[in-house]
Amino acid sequence: MASPLSNFSLLTDDLLFRILDKITSTSDRKNFRLVSKDFHRFDSIHRKTLKLLRLEFANSLLHKFSQINALDLSTCPRIDDATISSILLTSRFSNSLSWTLNIKKLVLSNATGLRSKGLELLMRFCINLEAIDVSDCWEFGDLEACALACGLGLREVRMDKCVKVTDVGLARIVVGCGPFKIAYGSWRTFFVITMLSRAFQLTGSFELVTNRSLFSIASLGKLKSLSMVGCSLLDDVGMKYLGRGCPLLQVLDVSRCNGISSYGLTLVLKVHSGLQQLGAGYCFADLSADLIYSLKNLGSLNLIKFDGARLSDSKFLSISLYCKQLVEVGLSKCIGVADEGIIQLASGCVNLKILDLTCCNLITDIGISAIADCCTNLVSLKVESCNLITEKGLERLGHSCLLIEELDLTDCSGVDDTGIVTYWSKLFNDMRAGFIRCEGIRDEGLAALSGGCRKLKILNLSYCRAITDEGIQHLSNFEDLSVLEMRSLINITCSGMTIVAAGCKKLLDLDLKFCRNIDDSGFWALAYYSRNLQQINISHCGISDVGLCMVLGNLTCLQDAKLLHLTKVSVEGFELALRACYMRLKKVKLLSSLRSLLSAEILKMLQGRGCKIKWH
């Protein structure tokens, strides 16, 4: 009898590639590659994106996956000019530079050690590069911006939090690279904005954008997306300018722009009928009747965020009548949100997938039941501090909303193990869950969680102090768990930590703050098993000099460490531990008292590699 695998030889490459398009899970793709050499070859040819965790494998992987068009180096430690030069030169000597010709998108966010020479090398070799992300590179300045200008084909540049870039650097990018499709950055004055006459998208969050800037932005006839979060100098005059221009505008976010009133936003909404997404969180205390009525013109609106505003039941009725295409609604900390309004919203907006009701503490199981009955496609629900919700509401959700991937029950004191057992036993999605300060969550709840939701990726159990080692050991069943927060779990010891570390080998972010009963033996297990950890918080833990050196020395992917109030660690212990990892750390948080005690040499070594030290 012929092998089942022989049947695949009858399929064309195109059909196999279509099959691969449907396999989105990382673990499933890995299993596909392991089936046979042919499957491995097909995956290598089909793969279009590559995210590196370890630089030592960079050249072999780039040679193997030479067809990729997107390369992400944001999670790699030790990214600097020398490493970039080494990768490119090694590829050149081995005649495997073909990957540089295919790269169209490059992500270098958090590459704090990278400077202008390394960036210029990348621009020279990756001649077809169209998009680059250097966000959170806090040392990135005008010299680095000038290096980006060597990328003649660049159409998208993201520079969030690159605070040292001035208009001079931005102007060099625009002049050198030509017309942009998307441009992100810090628009400090009107000068650069006037040069982006063909921009499709602008982001000027938290910068000194004024009404004069909006007067000029309004002349951008092709602008489709405009984000101005926290631009406090804007007011209704600027909104009036915007209402007269940007005819193709589809996305507008003016959240935390305190100078803008309901009247000013209404001026924009009445004109821009093609608007699809509207963010106006924490702008004004109340939503005027005119503003709500202007939503009637927005037939394509699929996202609204009115966080922090006052909303009555009658306004919910209007929203449900005018905005039936809504997919995402943000109502965090809104005043007056109760069951009646939620019932109206859910019954009118049945396509809802994302709903944020954080701190809407008047909502009860009645409102949750309405959401469950009407919005069966719900993917994300945040009900932090909604203390009137009980296990009955969770049971209704578990019965109807089988697609849910994110559930935040932080500070929901009415939720206990009963609701978790009923709800989680039915879900098998790639989940994110938060149970912060849910004192009713105990070991039995974690047992149910591990039995029903094996694909859990993000879990927050902080301050659920009833959980013990017996319950925490169930987390070892979550092989795909990448983010785990367990602050102040005072009953967790080294035994429980060892089991978690051995079972959850894909952990990237771990928060153990105030876990005082975990000492060196628990951290040795982390150092041995959790080699992919990138962020760790071990403040207020019982770790000693030896344990700290072991953790920081062995975790070769570690980039962000919070090391506050480690009473068993001496100054010499801190010194040795930091020396063991200074080449890869990007951020470290230390007590201010150590500033004068640590040697000037180690501080210079850290800062020289682009590490940002936050003194507490």
Side-chain angles (χ1 to χ4, degrees):
M1 183 176 177
S3 168
L5 287 178
S6 63
N7 295 329
F8 280 93
S9 63
L10 303 176
L11 300 177
T12 63
D13 290 359
D14 181 61
L15 287 175
L16 280 173
F17 289 157
R18 290 188 183 185
I19 293 173
L20 277 171
D21 287 337
K22 304 296 183 180
I23 305 176
T24 56
S25 169
T26 303
S27 58
D28 291 342
R29 288 293 288 261
K30 181 179 179 180
N31 292 333
F32 180 91
R33 291 196 298 272
L34 294 174
V35 171
S36 69
K37 290 183 178 180
D38 285 337
F39 278 32
H40 190 281
R41 180 175 62 85
F42 279 121
D43 181 70
S44 299
I45 298 172
H46 178 269
R47 181 184 287 269
K48 297 302 179 185
T49 62
L50 180 63
K51 186 174 185 178
L52 290 177
L53 293 178
R54 300 173 184 271
L55 278 176
E56 53 265 37
F57 303 124
N59 286 108
S60 61
L61 289 173
L62 290 170
H63 176 69
K64 181 183 297 183
F65 302 114
S66 58
Q67 302 299 315
I68 60 169
N69 53 37
L71 177 62
D72 188 344
L73 300 176
S74 62
T75 55
C76 277
R78 305 191 304 276
I79 290 289
D80 56 19
D81 294 350
T83 54
I84 293 297
S85 177
S86 175
I87 291 172
L88 292 172
L89 289 177
T90 303
S91 296
R92 188 174 188 176
F93 290 142
S94 60
N95 294 319
S96 56
L97 271 174
S98 58
W99 65 269
T100 60
L101 302 177
N102 296 321
I103 292 293
K104 293 185 177 181
K105 182 177 181 180
L106 186 59
V107 180
L108 294 169
S109 57
N110 291 303
T112 52
L114 193 60
R115 298 293 185 270
S116 57
K117 291 183 179 179
L119 281 170
E120 187 170 347
L121 271 177
L122 284 170
M123 296 300 104
R124 300 293 185 192
F125 278 84
C126 302
I127 57 176
N128 294 314
L129 193 66
E130 296 179 358
I132 189 167
D133 184 352
V134 290
S135 300
D136 295 298
C137 295
W138 55 282
E139 286 289 347
F140 193 102
D142 286 344
L143 280 178
E144 286 70 30
C146 291
L148 291 184
C150 297
L152 301 180
L154 274 181
R155 294 295 178 267
E156 175 180 345
V157 178
R158 188 180 186 102
M159 297 185 293
D160 296 345
K161 298 182 182 178
C162 295
V163 294
K164 293 187 177 181
V165 179
T166 68
D167 289 337
V168 175
L170 290 173
R172 286 295 300 271
I173 293 175
V174 175
V175 172
C177 301
F180 275 69
K181 291 184 179 178
I182 305 177
Y184 298 83
S186 51
W187 316 110
R188 295 169 187 264
T189 68
F190 163 68
F191 173 63
V192 174
I193 292 177
T194 58
M195 302 184 69
L196 298 173
S197 58
R198 296 181 62 183
F200 280 11
Q201 179 166 342
L202 295 178
T203 301
S205 304
F206 296 103
E207 298 295 342
L208 301 181
V209 177
T210 65
N211 291 332
R212 182 188 175 194
S213 302
L214 276 184
F215 178 79
S216 303
I217 289 173
S219 65
L220 302 178
K222 296 183 179 181
L223 188 68
K224 292 184 178 181
S225 177
L226 178 60
S227 176
M228 301 177 293
V229 179
C231 296
S232 57
L233 299 182
L234 295 178
D235 56 29
D236 292 347
V237 175
M239 291 294 99
K240 187 176 182 180
Y241 293 147
L242 188 61
R244 295 174 178 173
C246 302
L248 301 181
L249 194 64
Q250 296 177 359
V251 179
L252 177 63
D253 194 345
V254 293
S255 298
R256 300 185 186 276
C257 294
N258 301 326
I260 297 175
S261 68
S262 289
Y263 170 74
L265 187 57
T266 303
L267 295 177
V268 178
L269 300 186
K270 285 182 177 180
V271 178
H272 293 88
S273 58
L275 208 63
Q276 297 177 12
Q277 299 181 19
L278 173 63
Y282 307 105
C283 267
F284 21 75
D286 200 1
L287 300 178
S288 68
D290 285 343
L291 175 60
I292 296 296
Y293 185 75
S294 64
L295 297 177
K296 187 176 182 179
N297 301 323
L298 310 180
S300 303
L301 192 66
N302 57 58
L303 180 153
I304 55 170
K305 292 185 179 180
F306 289 139
D307 303 323
R310 183 183 298 277
L311 281 167
S312 63
D313 294 341
S314 61
K315 290 175 181 176
F316 273 111
L317 177 60
S318 299
I319 292 174
S320 66
L321 291 174
Y322 301 152
C323 310
K324 293 186 177 295
Q325 303 303 316
L326 284 177
V327 174
E328 180 176 352
V329 174
L331 302 173
S332 175
K333 299 181 181 179
C334 282
I335 301 171
V337 178
D339 289 338
E340 185 61 34
I342 293 300
I343 291 172
Q344 293 170 347
L345 179 68
S347 60
C349 306
V350 296
N351 296 317
L352 272 182
K353 291 185 177 181
I354 301 174
L355 182 58
D356 187 353
L357 299 174
T358 299
C359 296
C360 297
N361 51 22
L362 298 178
I363 296 174
T364 71
D365 290 336
I366 297 174
I368 297 299
S369 296
I371 294 170
D373 293 341
C374 301
C375 307
T376 54
N377 292 322
L378 199 67
V379 173
S380 173
L381 177 63
K382 297 181 180 179
V383 286
E384 176 183 343
S385 297
C386 296
N387 294 317
L388 301 179
I389 297 174
T390 69
E391 63 274 7
K392 293 181 180 179
L394 281 184
E395 182 177 358
R396 197 69 166 267
L397 278 174
H399 178 73
S400 303
C401 300
L402 301 180
L403 300 178
I404 200 162
E405 296 177 359
E406 180 180 18
L407 181 64
D408 187 352
L409 296 171
T410 299
D411 277 329
C412 291
S413 56
V415 175
D416 58 19
D417 285 343
T418 305
I420 299 301
V421 170
T422 303
Y423 181 62
W424 293 98
S425 61
K426 300 180 180 180
L427 294 180
F428 297 89
N429 305 317
D430 294 342
M431 289 289 302
R432 291 175 287 174
F435 302 106
I436 308 173
R437 285 183 289 271
C438 289
E439 297 183 1
I441 304 299
R442 294 179 170 81
D443 295 342
E444 294 79 6
L446 287 186
L449 186 66
S450 66
C453 192
R454 294 295 182 91
K455 293 186 177 181
L456 194 73
K457 292 185 176 181
I458 300 175
L459 179 61
N460 195 333
L461 297 171
S462 297
Y463 304 100
C464 298
R465 295 188 174 93
I467 295 174
T468 68
D469 284 343
E470 183 179 350
I472 210 72
Q473 68 180 353
H474 295 292
L475 299 189
S476 63
N477 293 325
F478 302 128
E479 296 181 354
D480 292 330
L481 193 66
S482 61
V483 178
L484 176 60
E485 297 186 39
M486 38 193 289
R487 288 190 181 193
S488 197
L489 299 193
I490 55 178
N491 294 316
I492 304 302
T493 67
C494 302
S495 174
M497 192 67 254
T498 300
I499 294 174
V500 171
C504 305
K505 294 181 180 179
K506 293 184 180 179
L507 274 180
L508 301 177
D509 189 345
L510 179 63
D511 191 338
L512 298 173
K513 187 176 182 179
F514 293 116
C515 292
R516 303 181 189 276
N517 288 323
I518 301 177
D519 57 23
D520 283 353
S521 59
F523 287 107
W524 289 342
L526 273 179
Y528 182 78
Y529 292 110
S530 304
R531 296 298 182 91
N532 291 324
L533 265 181
Q534 297 173 13
Q535 298 183 51
I536 192 169
N537 186 349
I538 54 176
S539 302
H540 297 272
C541 287
I543 196 170
S544 70
D545 289 359
V546 176
L548 186 62
C549 289
M550 179 72 73
V551 168
L552 297 191
N554 280 24
L555 298 180
T556 54
C557 289
L558 192 65
Q559 301 174 38
D560 188 340
K562 296 179 177 63
L563 311 172
L564 302 178
H565 299 286
L566 302 181
T567 56
K568 294 183 180 180
V569 180
S570 64
V571 175
E572 291 76 15
F574 276 110
E575 184 91 17
L576 289 173
L578 292 173
R579 285 179 181 274
C581 64
Y582 80 94
M583 291 188 66
R584 54 182 178 270
L585 273 187
K586 296 179 180 179
K587 294 180 184 178
V588 63
K589 194 172 186 179
L590 301 168
L591 281 178
S592 299
S593 57
L594 289 171
R595 193 169 194 168
S596 58
L597 299 176
L598 291 172
S599 68
E601 182 186 4
I602 186 59
L603 296 180
K604 185 177 180 181
M605 290 166 63
L606 286 167
Q607 293 170 344
R609 299 291 299 187
C611 179
K612 190 172 187 178
I613 305 175
K614 187 172 183 179
W615 302 102
H616 181 74

